[in-house]
Structure formats: structure tokens, C-alpha cells
Amino acid sequence: RKEVEQDPGPFNVPEGATVAFNCTYSNSASQSFFWYRQDCRKEPKLLMSVYSSGNEDGRFTAQLNRASQYISLLIRDSKLSDSATYLCVVNGGGYQKVTFGTGTKLQVIP
Amino acid sequence: DGGITQSPKYLFRKEGQNVTLSCEQNLNHDAMYWYRQDPGQGLRLIYYSQIVNDFQKGDIAEGYSVSREKKESFPLTVTSAQKNPTAFYLCASSIARGDGYTFGSGTRLTVV
């Protein structure tokens, strides 16, 4: 099993739709979790940290399920500008234990 | 504005050449990192540095070298020993272990 797994997509959704991505991780001792957004041929940018209690930032909601070892990202009212690849990142507790997923590609269609 | 500057944006290397990628940050972050991104793969850690004058190998350090003489700077040298260097190289920094990263805009290295 890979340390961090994401469905590569692409997820093609119409504008205004709600879309959710999951990311599973194998290390039950993982300590911190993040979602990054990466536009084509650009650097990843931190979208949000994922807290145990769940957290929301505008149209974006991130949740952590430790029992089932996955994190999720929910995007409501999708915009064309949300089109990007979303990377999940899991920190297993050390500099060398930060693992990036391969990303889920989202395409929002007019 | 604070951030990380990587240069050059594009770099072409002949076989057998060493090349150095620059990374400078003015965020006052202690930790800095070098990652490599290949199509269809997650970012892979090459080297990281927690403080000045200290750095550690990551998962794919072979064929690469780094230095950390100043807090702001963490250059990466891709040596001729790296057999497949064509990739997108990303430098990042963080305040401390466990925090989210800020990335530079990357350097695309191509072997010609």
C-alpha cells in the first residue's frame, strides 16, 4: 500500500457543483495533514491545514478521519478558477516523513 | 513581500555538466527543502536543512549536493552523477517541522 494515495481523476464538474476528494494514508502515527493546490506547471501552494475537528475556509472544507486514515477536501459552488491539481500532504512526524500524494486533478466546466 | 525566489526558471544541461539551482528566501524560516517532481509522481525529497550549516539527505540524494551557509540561501547542485536529472525542481521553506511549506516557483531542468 502506498503511503499516501489519491484518485488522480480528472474530476470534471460543472460550475456551481460540489465536489469532494479523499486522500488515504498508511501511517497511523501521522501527525499533521495539509491540502495544497498546484496549477499546471506551477509550484504547489498551501490551501489549508487539516485539523482533527475539521476546518472550513470559505467554500473549502477539510476533514480528517483518523479511524479510517483519510483526509477529505470538499469544494462547494465550484468556480472555473478552482481548476487545478489538489495534493494531499501527510507528515509522519519528521522532516523526512512528509509525503506528498500524486494529486487529484479537478476541471471545472462552464 | 516575503517569499522564496528560485532561479533560473529554465535550465538546460549538457550531459556530464554540473549545474547549480539557486534558492533564496526572506521569510526568516529555519527549515529549507529541495524536492523533485516528475510527471505522475508525488514530490520527492532530495535534501533538507533545519538550520544553517546543517543539512540531511532525503530519499533521492544521490547525484545531488547542497550547502547552507546562510539562513536565506539553500543552493542545489545537480552533478553529472545524477543520471536522470530532467525534472521540475522545487525549493521550499517552513517555520519549523510539521508546518506547511512555502514553495518557490521552481526550476525546470532539461538535459540536452
Side-chain angles (χ1 to χ4, degrees):
Chain A
R1 183 182 177 183
K2 286 185 179 178
E3 290 185 59
V4 175
E5 287 197 76
Q6 294 185 255
D7 182 338
F11 284 53
N12 297 313
V13 302
E15 269 187 290
T18 296
V19 61
F21 315 129
N22 281 349
C23 168
T24 59
Y25 61 94
S26 60
N27 180 1
S28 59
S30 296
Q31 298 178 359
S32 54
F33 308 85
F34 306 90
W35 283 104
Y36 284 74
R37 171 197 168 120
Q38 186 172 25
D39 292 297
C40 188
R41 299 180 69 81
K42 300 283 189 182
E43 75 276 20
K45 292 186 178 177
L46 181 63
L47 183 63
M48 57 200 307
S49 303
V50 186
Y51 303 123
S52 297
S53 55
N55 48 304
E56 189 173 310
D57 183 3
R59 297 182 293 108
F60 298 83
T61 300
Q63 292 192 312
L64 166 63
N65 185 318
R66 283 197 181 272
S68 300
Q69 294 183 205
Y70 72 88
I71 62 173
S72 64
L73 178 67
L74 180 81
I75 305 175
R76 289 181 297 278
D77 188 22
S78 299
K79 312 290 185 192
L80 294 176
S81 57
D82 293 334
S83 297
T85 297
Y86 291 84
L87 309 177
C88 77
V89 179
V90 177
N91 186 337
Y95 287 100
Q96 219 160 334
K97 295 184 180 179
V98 175
T99 304
F100 284 76
T102 54
T104 297
K105 186 171 182 178
L106 171 66
Q107 188 71 43
V108 181
I109 304 163
Chain B
D1 284 340
I4 298 183
T5 301
Q6 287 188 243
S7 63
K9 194 173 179 69
Y10 299 95
L11 185 57
F12 298 90
R13 191 196 93 166
K14 293 182 180 178
E15 300 234 9
Q17 260 185 349
N18 292 354
V19 291
T20 297
L21 283 57
S22 171
C23 177
E24 303 277 333
Q25 56 104 352
N26 60 3
L27 298 164
N28 201 32
H29 286 175
D30 286 314
M32 296 187 75
Y33 316 82
W34 274 105
Y35 282 89
R36 168 181 173 142
Q37 187 175 35
D38 295 278
Q41 296 195 39
L43 275 68
R44 292 183 290 167
L45 181 64
I46 304 173
Y47 269 97
Y48 66 95
S49 168
Q50 301 175 54
I51 55 172
V52 175
N53 292 322
D54 182 66
F55 50 82
Q56 305 296 328
K57 291 182 179 180
D59 301 319
I60 55 164
E62 186 175 349
Y64 300 98
S65 65
V66 293
S67 63
R68 186 87 186 274
E69 297 176 0
K70 298 186 300 182
K71 187 175 184 177
E72 301 79 18
S73 179
F74 192 40
L76 174 74
T77 296
V78 184
T79 74
S80 56
Q82 170 50 238
K83 297 308 178 189
N84 185 22
T86 295
F88 187 38
Y89 289 86
L90 289 157
C91 180
S93 70
S94 66
I95 296 173
R97 186 180 72 181
D99 292 324
Y101 295 172
T102 300
F103 283 91
S105 57
T107 293
R108 291 198 178 272
L109 174 63
T110 304
V111 174
V112 296

